[in-house]
Coordinates of all heavy atoms in Angstrom, one line a residue:
Chain K
T230 N -58.3 -12.0 5.9 CA -59.7 -12.0 5.4 C -59.7 -12.6 4.0 O -60.6 -13.5 3.7 CB -60.2 -10.5 5.3 OG1 -59.9 -9.9 6.5 CG2 -61.7 -10.6 5.0
A231 N -58.8 -12.2 3.1 CA -58.8 -12.7 1.7 C -58.7 -14.2 1.7 O -59.4 -14.9 1.0 CB -57.7 -12.1 1.0
K232 N -57.9 -14.7 2.6 CA -57.7 -16.2 2.6 C -58.9 -16.9 3.2 O -59.4 -17.9 2.7 CB -56.5 -16.5 3.4 CG -56.0 -18.0 3.3 CD -54.5 -18.1 3.4 CE -54.2 -19.5 2.8 NZ -53.5 -20.4 3.6
A233 N -59.5 -16.2 4.2 CA -60.6 -16.8 4.8 C -61.8 -16.9 3.9 O -62.6 -17.8 4.0 CB -61.0 -16.0 6.1
I234 N -62.0 -15.8 3.1 CA -63.1 -15.9 2.2 C -62.9 -16.8 1.0 O -63.7 -16.8 0.1 CB -63.6 -14.5 1.7 CG1 -62.5 -13.8 0.9 CG2 -64.0 -13.6 2.9 CD1 -63.0 -12.5 0.4
G235 N -61.8 -17.4 1.0 CA -61.6 -18.5 0.0 C -61.0 -18.1 -1.3 O -61.0 -18.9 -2.2
L236 N -60.4 -17.0 -1.3 CA -59.7 -16.6 -2.6 C -58.5 -17.6 -2.8 O -57.9 -18.0 -1.9 CB -59.1 -15.2 -2.5 CG -60.1 -14.1 -2.6 CD1 -59.5 -12.7 -2.5 CD2 -60.9 -14.1 -3.9
P237 N -58.3 -17.9 -4.1 CA -57.1 -18.8 -4.4 C -55.8 -18.2 -3.9 O -55.7 -17.0 -3.9 CB -57.2 -18.9 -5.9 CG -58.0 -17.8 -6.4 CD -59.0 -17.5 -5.3
E238 N -55.0 -19.1 -3.5 CA -53.7 -18.6 -2.9 C -53.0 -17.7 -3.7 O -52.5 -16.6 -3.3 CB -52.9 -19.9 -2.6 CG -52.4 -19.9 -1.1 CD -51.6 -21.1 -0.8 OE1 -50.6 -21.4 -1.5 OE2 -51.9 -21.9 0.1
R239 N -52.9 -18.0 -5.0 CA -52.1 -17.2 -5.9 C -52.6 -15.7 -5.9 O -51.8 -14.8 -5.9 CB -52.1 -17.8 -7.3 CG -51.1 -17.1 -8.2 CD -51.0 -18.0 -9.4 NE -50.4 -19.3 -9.0 CZ -49.2 -19.7 -9.3 NH1 -48.4 -18.9 -10.0 NH2 -48.7 -20.8 -8.8
K240 N -53.9 -15.7 -6.0 CA -54.5 -14.3 -6.0 C -54.3 -13.6 -4.7 O -53.9 -12.4 -4.7 CB -56.0 -14.5 -6.2 CG -56.6 -13.6 -7.3 CD -58.1 -13.6 -7.3 CE -58.6 -12.9 -8.6 NZ -60.0 -13.1 -8.8
V241 N -54.4 -14.3 -3.6 CA -54.2 -13.6 -2.4 C -52.7 -13.1 -2.4 O -52.4 -12.0 -2.0 CB -54.4 -14.6 -1.2 CG1 -54.0 -13.9 0.1 CG2 -55.8 -15.1 -1.2
L242 N -51.9 -14.0 -2.7 CA -50.5 -13.6 -2.6 C -50.1 -12.4 -3.5 O -49.6 -11.5 -3.1 CB -49.6 -14.9 -3.0 CG -48.1 -14.6 -3.0 CD1 -47.6 -14.3 -1.6 CD2 -47.4 -16.0 -3.5
F243 N -50.5 -12.6 -4.8 CA -50.0 -11.6 -5.7 C -50.9 -10.4 -5.8 O -50.4 -9.3 -5.9 CB -49.7 -12.2 -7.1 CG -48.5 -13.1 -7.1 CD1 -48.6 -14.5 -7.2 CD2 -47.3 -12.6 -6.9 CE1 -47.6 -15.3 -7.1 CE2 -46.2 -13.4 -6.8 CZ -46.3 -14.8 -6.9
R244 N -52.1 -10.6 -5.8 CA -53.0 -9.4 -6.1 C -52.9 -8.5 -4.8 O -52.8 -7.3 -4.9 CB -54.4 -9.9 -6.3 CG -55.4 -8.8 -6.6 CD -55.1 -8.1 -7.9 NE -55.7 -9.0 -8.9 CZ -57.0 -9.1 -9.3 NH1 -57.9 -8.5 -8.6 NH2 -57.3 -9.9 -10.2
H245 N -53.1 -9.1 -3.7 CA -53.2 -8.3 -2.5 C -51.9 -8.2 -1.7 O -51.6 -7.1 -1.3 CB -54.3 -9.0 -1.5 CG -55.7 -9.0 -2.1 ND1 -56.5 -7.9 -2.2 CD2 -56.3 -10.0 -2.7 CE1 -57.6 -8.2 -2.8 NE2 -57.5 -9.5 -3.1
G246 N -51.2 -9.2 -1.6 CA -50.0 -9.2 -0.8 C -48.9 -8.4 -1.4 O -48.4 -7.4 -0.9
T247 N -48.6 -8.8 -2.6 CA -47.4 -8.3 -3.2 C -47.5 -6.8 -3.6 O -46.6 -6.0 -3.3 CB -47.1 -9.0 -4.6 OG1 -47.2 -10.4 -4.3 CG2 -45.7 -8.7 -5.1
R248 N -48.7 -6.4 -4.0 CA -48.8 -5.1 -4.3 C -48.6 -4.1 -3.2 O -48.0 -3.0 -3.3 CB -50.2 -4.8 -4.9 CG -50.3 -5.2 -6.4 CD -51.6 -4.8 -7.0 NE -51.7 -3.3 -6.9 CZ -52.8 -2.7 -7.1 NH1 -54.0 -3.3 -7.3 NH2 -52.9 -1.3 -7.1
N249 N -49.0 -4.6 -2.0 CA -48.7 -3.7 -0.9 C -47.3 -3.8 -0.4 O -46.8 -2.8 0.2 CB -49.7 -4.0 0.2 CG -51.1 -3.6 -0.1 OD1 -51.3 -2.4 -0.1 ND2 -52.0 -4.5 -0.3
A250 N -46.7 -4.9 -0.6 CA -45.4 -5.1 -0.2 C -44.4 -4.3 -1.1 O -43.3 -4.1 -0.7 CB -45.0 -6.5 -0.1
M251 N -44.9 -4.1 -2.2 CA -44.0 -3.5 -3.3 C -43.6 -2.1 -2.9 O -42.6 -1.6 -3.4 CB -44.8 -3.4 -4.6 CG -45.0 -4.7 -5.2 SD -43.5 -5.2 -6.1 CE -43.8 -4.4 -7.6
L252 N -44.3 -1.4 -2.0 CA -43.9 -0.1 -1.7 C -42.5 0.2 -1.4 O -41.8 0.9 -2.1 CB -44.9 0.5 -0.6 CG -44.9 2.0 -0.5 CD1 -45.4 2.6 -1.7 CD2 -45.8 2.3 0.7
P253 N -42.0 -0.4 -0.3 CA -40.6 -0.2 -0.1 C -39.7 -0.8 -1.1 O -38.6 -0.2 -1.4 CB -40.4 -1.0 1.3 CG -41.4 -1.9 1.4 CD -42.6 -1.3 0.6
V254 N -40.2 -1.8 -1.8 CA -39.4 -2.5 -2.7 C -39.2 -1.5 -4.0 O -38.0 -1.4 -4.5 CB -39.9 -3.8 -3.2 CG1 -39.1 -4.4 -4.3 CG2 -40.0 -4.7 -2.0
V255 N -40.3 -0.9 -4.4 CA -40.1 -0.1 -5.6 C -39.2 1.1 -5.4 O -38.4 1.4 -6.2 CB -41.6 0.4 -6.0 CG1 -41.4 1.5 -7.0 CG2 -42.3 -0.7 -6.6
T256 N -39.3 1.7 -4.2 CA -38.5 2.8 -4.0 C -37.0 2.4 -3.9 O -36.1 3.1 -4.3 CB -38.9 3.6 -2.7 OG1 -39.1 2.7 -1.7 CG2 -40.1 4.4 -2.9
S257 N -36.8 1.3 -3.2 CA -35.4 0.9 -3.1 C -34.9 0.4 -4.5 O -33.6 0.4 -4.7 CB -35.2 -0.2 -2.1 OG -35.8 -1.4 -2.5
F258 N -35.7 0.1 -5.4 CA -35.3 -0.3 -6.8 C -34.6 1.0 -7.4 O -33.5 0.9 -7.9 CB -36.5 -0.7 -7.5 CG -36.3 -0.9 -9.0 CD1 -35.5 -1.9 -9.5 CD2 -36.8 0.0 -9.9 CE1 -35.2 -2.0 -10.9 CE2 -36.6 -0.1 -11.3 CZ -35.8 -1.2 -11.7
I259 N -35.3 2.1 -7.2 CA -34.7 3.3 -7.8 C -33.4 3.7 -7.2 O -32.4 4.0 -7.8 CB -35.7 4.5 -7.7 CG1 -37.0 4.0 -8.2 CG2 -35.1 5.7 -8.3 CD1 -37.6 4.9 -9.3
I260 N -33.5 3.6 -5.8 CA -32.2 4.0 -5.1 C -31.1 3.0 -5.5 O -30.0 3.4 -5.6 CB -32.5 3.9 -3.6 CG1 -33.5 4.9 -3.2 CG2 -31.2 4.1 -2.8 CD1 -33.9 4.9 -1.8
S261 N -31.4 1.8 -5.7 CA -30.4 0.8 -5.9 C -29.7 1.0 -7.3 O -28.6 0.7 -7.5 CB -30.9 -0.6 -5.7 OG -30.7 -1.3 -6.9
I262 N -30.5 1.4 -8.3 CA -29.9 1.7 -9.6 C -28.8 2.6 -9.4 O -27.7 2.5 -10.0 CB -30.9 2.2 -10.6 CG1 -31.9 1.1 -11.0 CG2 -30.1 2.6 -11.9 CD1 -32.7 1.5 -12.2
V263 N -29.1 3.7 -8.7 CA -28.0 4.7 -8.7 C -27.0 4.4 -7.7 O -25.8 4.8 -7.8 CB -28.7 6.1 -8.3 CG1 -29.5 6.5 -9.5 CG2 -29.4 6.1 -7.1
F264 N -27.3 3.7 -6.6 CA -26.2 3.3 -5.7 C -25.3 2.3 -6.3 O -24.1 2.2 -6.0 CB -26.8 2.6 -4.4 CG -27.0 3.7 -3.3 CD1 -28.2 4.1 -3.0 CD2 -25.9 4.3 -2.7 CE1 -28.4 5.1 -2.0 CE2 -26.0 5.2 -1.8 CZ -27.3 5.6 -1.4
S265 N -25.8 1.6 -7.3 CA -24.9 0.6 -8.0 C -23.8 1.3 -8.7 O -22.8 0.7 -9.0 CB -25.8 -0.3 -8.9 OG -26.3 0.6 -10.0
V266 N -24.0 2.6 -9.0 CA -22.8 3.2 -9.6 C -21.7 3.3 -8.6 O -20.5 3.2 -9.0 CB -23.2 4.7 -10.0 CG1 -22.1 5.4 -10.8 CG2 -24.4 4.7 -10.9
G267 N -22.0 3.4 -7.3 CA -21.0 3.3 -6.4 C -20.3 2.0 -6.3 O -19.1 1.8 -6.2
G268 N -21.2 0.9 -6.4 CA -20.6 -0.4 -6.5 C -19.8 -0.7 -7.7 O -19.0 -1.6 -7.8
A269 N -20.2 0.1 -8.8 CA -19.4 0.0 -10.0 C -17.9 0.1 -9.9 O -17.2 -0.6 -10.5 CB -19.9 1.0 -11.0
V270 N -17.6 1.0 -8.9 CA -16.2 1.3 -8.8 C -15.4 0.1 -8.5 O -14.3 -0.1 -9.0 CB -16.0 2.3 -7.6 CG1 -14.6 2.8 -7.5 CG2 -16.9 3.5 -7.8
V271 N -16.0 -0.8 -7.7 CA -15.2 -2.0 -7.2 C -15.2 -3.0 -8.3 O -14.2 -3.6 -8.7 CB -15.9 -2.6 -6.0 CG1 -15.2 -3.8 -5.5 CG2 -16.0 -1.5 -4.9
L272 N -16.5 -3.3 -8.9 CA -16.5 -4.5 -9.7 C -15.9 -4.2 -11.1 O -15.4 -5.1 -11.8 CB -18.0 -4.9 -9.9 CG -18.3 -5.9 -8.8 CD1 -19.8 -5.9 -8.5 CD2 -17.8 -7.2 -9.1
E273 N -16.0 -2.9 -11.5 CA -15.3 -2.6 -12.8 C -13.9 -2.9 -12.8 O -13.2 -3.3 -13.7 CB -15.6 -1.2 -13.2 CG -17.1 -1.0 -13.6 CD -17.3 0.5 -14.0 OE1 -16.4 1.2 -14.1 OE2 -18.5 0.8 -14.3
N274 N -13.3 -2.6 -11.5 CA -11.9 -2.9 -11.4 C -11.6 -4.4 -11.6 O -10.7 -4.8 -12.3 CB -11.5 -2.5 -9.9 CG -10.1 -2.5 -9.6 OD1 -9.5 -3.6 -9.8 ND2 -9.5 -1.4 -9.3
V275 N -12.4 -5.2 -11.0 CA -12.1 -6.7 -11.0 C -12.3 -7.2 -12.4 O -11.5 -8.0 -12.9 CB -13.1 -7.4 -10.1 CG1 -13.0 -8.9 -10.3 CG2 -12.9 -7.0 -8.7
F276 N -13.3 -6.8 -13.1 CA -13.6 -7.3 -14.4 C -13.0 -6.5 -15.6 O -13.3 -6.8 -16.7 CB -15.1 -7.4 -14.7 CG -15.8 -8.5 -13.9 CD1 -16.5 -8.3 -12.7 CD2 -15.7 -9.8 -14.3 CE1 -17.0 -9.3 -12.0 CE2 -16.3 -10.8 -13.6 CZ -16.9 -10.6 -12.5
T277 N -12.2 -5.6 -15.3 CA -11.6 -4.7 -16.3 C -12.6 -4.2 -17.2 O -12.5 -4.2 -18.4 CB -10.5 -5.5 -17.1 OG1 -10.0 -6.6 -16.4 CG2 -9.4 -4.6 -17.5
F278 N -13.6 -3.6 -16.6 CA -14.7 -3.1 -17.4 C -14.6 -1.6 -17.6 O -14.5 -0.9 -16.5 CB -16.1 -3.4 -16.6 CG -17.3 -3.0 -17.3 CD1 -17.8 -3.9 -18.3 CD2 -17.9 -1.9 -17.1 CE1 -19.0 -3.6 -18.9 CE2 -19.1 -1.5 -17.7 CZ -19.6 -2.4 -18.7
P279 N -14.5 -1.1 -18.7 CA -14.1 0.3 -18.9 C -15.4 1.2 -18.7 O -15.9 1.7 -19.7 CB -13.6 0.4 -20.4 CG -14.4 -0.8 -21.0 CD -14.5 -1.8 -20.1
G280 N -15.8 1.4 -17.5 CA -16.9 2.2 -17.2 C -16.6 3.3 -16.3 O -15.4 3.7 -16.2
V281 N -17.6 3.9 -15.8 CA -17.4 5.1 -15.0 C -16.5 4.9 -13.7 O -15.7 5.7 -13.3 CB -18.8 5.7 -14.6 CG1 -18.5 6.9 -13.7 CG2 -19.5 6.1 -15.8
G282 N -16.8 3.8 -13.1 CA -16.1 3.5 -11.8 C -14.6 3.3 -12.1 O -13.8 3.8 -11.3
A283 N -14.2 2.6 -13.1 CA -12.8 2.4 -13.4 C -12.2 3.8 -13.7 O -11.1 4.0 -13.3 CB -12.7 1.5 -14.7
L284 N -12.9 4.6 -14.4 CA -12.4 5.9 -14.7 C -12.1 6.7 -13.4 O -11.0 7.4 -13.3 CB -13.4 6.7 -15.6 CG -13.0 8.1 -16.1 CD1 -11.8 7.9 -17.0 CD2 -14.1 8.8 -16.8
Y285 N -13.0 6.6 -12.5 CA -12.8 7.3 -11.2 C -11.6 6.9 -10.5 O -10.8 7.7 -10.0 CB -14.1 7.1 -10.3 CG -14.1 7.8 -9.1 CD1 -14.0 9.2 -8.9 CD2 -14.1 7.1 -7.8 CE1 -13.9 9.8 -7.7 CE2 -14.1 7.7 -6.7 CZ -14.0 9.1 -6.6 OH -13.9 9.7 -5.4
I286 N -11.4 5.6 -10.4 CA -10.2 5.1 -9.7 C -9.0 5.5 -10.4 O -8.0 5.9 -9.7 CB -10.2 3.5 -9.6 CG1 -11.5 3.1 -8.9 CG2 -9.0 3.0 -9.0 CD1 -11.3 2.7 -7.5
R287 N -9.0 5.4 -11.7 CA -7.8 5.8 -12.4 C -7.5 7.3 -12.2 O -6.3 7.7 -12.0 CB -8.1 5.6 -13.9 CG -6.8 5.4 -14.7 CD -7.1 5.2 -16.2 NE -7.4 6.4 -16.8 CZ -7.9 6.5 -18.1 NH1 -8.1 5.4 -18.7 NH2 -8.3 7.6 -18.6
A288 N -8.6 8.1 -12.2 CA -8.3 9.5 -12.1 C -7.8 9.8 -10.6 O -6.9 10.7 -10.5 CB -9.6 10.3 -12.3
L289 N -8.3 9.1 -9.7 CA -7.8 9.4 -8.3 C -6.3 9.0 -8.2 O -5.5 9.7 -7.6 CB -8.6 8.5 -7.3 CG -9.9 9.1 -6.7 CD1 -10.4 8.2 -5.7 CD2 -9.6 10.5 -6.2

Side-chain angles (χ1 to χ4, degrees):
Chain K
T230 311
K232 193 145 197 239
I234 63 177
L236 286 179
E238 235 178 51
R239 189 164 299 250
K240 227 189 191 168
V241 176
L242 177 62
F243 289 109
R244 179 76 73 78
H245 297 282
T247 313
R248 278 189 63 196
N249 286 294
M251 288 280 274
L252 196 60
V254 175
V255 166
T256 45
S257 69
F258 172 71
I259 308 237
I260 297 178
S261 119
I262 290 190
V263 295
F264 266 109
S265 63
V266 184
V270 187
V271 181
L272 274 156
E273 288 183 5
N274 187 302
V275 173
F276 286 102
T277 337
F278 184 83
V281 175
L284 184 65
Y285 180 61
I286 300 261
R287 203 181 76 189
L289 274 183

